[in-house]
């Protein structure tokens, strides 16, 4: 009987040991799994954090498309420098954009640009950029002239992304839209384009067929000489393409800015003449305009005899093919051409 009790006690103790061992293993497994899961969770969190750190929350650049080219620029292009591109200066007037750096003329900002240059620094003359000043302004983007030499564009690109701003009249809408995108004024740019086209249709209705058989010529006096431009340059697109006035043969034959003599103009004998004269472009011949107006050959032209020769109907610095030039010239042209 005692032996039976001893065996039962032994079996009970053995069962308790097994139970304790099993429980220990289970606890160990549970604790181990818990520890491993925590480690795995920590590793995963670390990897996720590393990924988040490697990938920026928002891009710090943007790609701008302009005239079939793409330019990578800072996401915000608030600090705009204009050098060489008078066209961009004119567009800035239309959209009320204030560049941090802009072109001076004979060392100063002309009245035409005073609305956009009150807080701007001079970055040099039209074709003479001051690279050191441009660098100091820390621009987000630089608008240079499409006429600038490649080495100038290369140097500017070392300072900030540089876009050659077109000097071609037919690109005026693309130009205005570009500046609108850079300045955050896309909607205003579209409104200005739409308004110009609407005004153009109104002017065409006003003029009707009154200029069908008339000869109209736009001239610019530079260094005391008279120049004409191709039909798609200067104010010519407004006159010939948009208002539908016949293109004079001399203008149709012009390949670029071309010198024209008084005798050649006499042969053409225009009924209307628009003359642009800027003292800045005639420093060595300040009396060129007066001499032209008093020249016997010119005085005998229909336009001069009939009082339809107009001087500086818009600011003489106006380039002719920009939104600003077109808007201002259209206003002046309707008054002049209906006389």
């Amino acid at each position: 009987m005692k032996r039976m009790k001893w065996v039962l006690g032994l079996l009970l103790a053995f069962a308790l040991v097994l139970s304790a061992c099993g429980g220990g293993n289970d606890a160990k497994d549970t604790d181990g799994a818990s520890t491993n899961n925590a480690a795995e969770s920590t590793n995963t969190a670390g990897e996720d954090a590393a990924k988040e750190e490697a990938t920026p929350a928002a891009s710090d650049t943007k790609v701008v498309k302009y005239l079939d080219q793409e330019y990578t620029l800072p996401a915000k292009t608030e600090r705009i420098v204009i050098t060489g591109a008078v066209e961009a200066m004119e567009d800035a007037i239309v959209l009320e954009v204030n560049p941090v750096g802009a072109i001076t003329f004979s060392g100063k900002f002309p009245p035409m640009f005073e609305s956009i240059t009150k807080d701007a620094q001079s970055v040099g003359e039209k074709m003479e950029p001051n690279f050191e000043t441009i660098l100091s302004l820390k621009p987000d983007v630089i608008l240079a002239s499409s006429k600038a030499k490649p080495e100038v564009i290369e140097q500017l690109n070392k300072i900030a992304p540089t876009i050659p701003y077109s000097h071609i009249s037919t690109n005026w809408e693309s130009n205005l839209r570009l500046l609108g995108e850079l300045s955050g004024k896309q909607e205003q740019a579209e409104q200005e384009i739409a308004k110009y086209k609407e005004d153009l249709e109104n002017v065409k209705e006003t003029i009707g067929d009154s200029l069908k058989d008339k000869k109209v010529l736009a001239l610019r006096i530079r260094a005391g000489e008279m120049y004409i431009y191709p039909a798609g340059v200067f104010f010519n697109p407004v006159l010939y393409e948009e208002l539908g006035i016949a293109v004079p043969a001399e203008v149709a034959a012009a390949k670029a800015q071309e010198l024209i003599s008084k005798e050649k103009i006499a042969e053409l004998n225009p009924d209307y003449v628009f003359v642009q004269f800027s003292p800045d472009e005639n420093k060595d011949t300040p009396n060129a305009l007066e001499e032209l107006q008093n020249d016997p050959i010119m005085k005998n032209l229909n336009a001069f005899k009939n009082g339809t020769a107009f001087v500086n109907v818009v600011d003489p610095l106006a380039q002719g093919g920009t939104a600003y030039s077109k808007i201002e010239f259209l206003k002046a042209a309707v008054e002049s051409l209906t006389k």
Side-chain angles (χ1 to χ4, degrees):
M1 188 69 178
K2 290 182 179 179
R3 182 176 177 84
M4 180 66 71
K5 291 181 178 179
W6 181 84
V7 172
L8 290 174
L10 183 62
L11 290 173
L12 180 61
F14 185 69
L16 289 171
V17 169
L18 289 176
S19 175
C21 289
N25 287 339
D26 289 345
K28 184 177 179 180
D29 290 344
T30 302
D31 291 343
S34 177
T35 302
N36 289 338
N37 287 342
E40 288 176 7
S41 177
T42 302
N43 291 338
T44 302
E47 290 175 2
D48 290 344
K51 288 179 181 178
E52 287 179 6
E53 186 175 342
T55 305
S59 176
D60 57 356
T61 63
K62 63 183 176 183
V63 175
V64 171
K65 294 182 180 180
Y66 167 65
L67 298 180
D68 298 326
Q69 297 292 323
E70 292 188 349
Y71 300 88
T72 301
L73 308 175
K76 293 184 178 180
T77 46
E78 297 172 345
R79 299 183 63 80
I80 299 173
V81 163
I82 300 174
T83 175
V86 182
E87 294 81 5
M89 296 273 286
E90 291 192 27
D91 283 345
I93 297 174
V94 176
L95 297 183
E96 302 171 301
V97 173
N98 298 295
V100 295
I103 308 163
T104 47
F105 297 75
S106 300
K108 60 184 179 181
F109 294 122
M112 175 177 166
F113 300 113
E114 65 182 7
S115 66
I116 62 167
T117 55
K118 293 176 182 177
D119 299 318
Q121 289 190 39
S122 168
V123 292
E125 300 293 293
K126 183 177 178 181
M127 301 307 289
E128 300 172 359
N130 187 320
F131 298 110
E132 186 174 339
T133 300
I134 296 173
L135 177 62
S136 71
L137 291 174
K138 299 179 180 179
D140 297 315
V141 63
I142 300 172
L143 299 179
S145 173
S146 57
K147 293 185 287 187
K149 295 180 179 179
E151 55 266 31
V152 172
I153 299 296
E154 182 180 358
Q155 187 69 20
L156 291 171
N157 265 314
K158 293 178 181 178
I159 299 173
T162 300
I163 301 177
Y165 210 82
S166 178
H167 69 285
I168 304 299
S169 299
T170 50
N171 290 330
W172 74 275
E173 292 182 53
S174 296
N175 283 355
L176 197 66
R177 287 189 173 109
L178 170 64
L179 188 59
E181 184 170 0
L182 296 179
S183 61
K185 296 187 175 184
Q186 298 96 320
E187 185 177 347
Q188 187 175 344
E190 294 301 331
Q191 289 173 351
E192 293 292 348
I193 292 171
K195 186 177 185 305
Y196 175 77
K197 293 181 177 181
E198 181 181 350
D199 291 343
L200 175 62
E201 292 304 313
N202 292 335
V203 170
K204 289 168 70 173
E205 288 182 13
T206 300
I207 293 176
D209 295 329
S210 62
L211 301 175
K212 183 178 180 180
D213 300 319
K214 301 295 182 180
K215 297 178 182 178
V216 182
L217 188 66
L219 300 171
R220 173 175 270 164
I221 301 176
R222 283 181 164 169
E225 302 285 356
M226 292 183 293
Y227 291 87
I228 59 173
Y229 295 83
V233 180
F234 196 37
F235 294 107
N236 290 346
V238 177
L239 295 172
Y240 307 128
E241 296 175 16
E242 296 176 351
L243 294 180
I245 300 171
V247 182
E250 291 76 7
V251 172
K255 301 301 181 184
Q257 174 181 279
E258 290 191 8
L259 180 68
I260 187 169
S261 66
K262 293 177 291 185
E263 290 75 18
K264 197 67 177 177
I265 295 178
E267 290 180 19
L268 176 61
N269 194 16
D271 299 292
Y272 294 85
V273 174
F274 292 95
V275 181
Q276 293 294 96
F277 175 86
S278 171
D280 284 323
E281 297 180 331
N282 294 274
K283 293 179 180 179
D284 296 329
T285 55
N287 300 319
L289 176 60
E290 183 180 351
E291 292 172 359
L292 172 69
Q293 292 171 320
N294 293 325
D295 185 277
I297 296 177
M298 299 300 290
K299 289 174 70 174
N300 198 43
L301 299 179
N302 287 339
F304 282 86
K305 288 191 298 184
N306 299 331
T308 50
F310 307 101
V311 177
N312 293 343
V313 294
V314 298
D315 194 291
L317 290 178
Q319 297 300 290
T322 68
Y324 174 82
S325 288
K326 293 168 79 69
I327 291 168
E328 295 300 313
F329 185 71
L330 187 63
K331 293 177 186 175
V334 67
E335 295 178 7
S336 303
L337 295 171
T338 53
K339 286 189 175 181

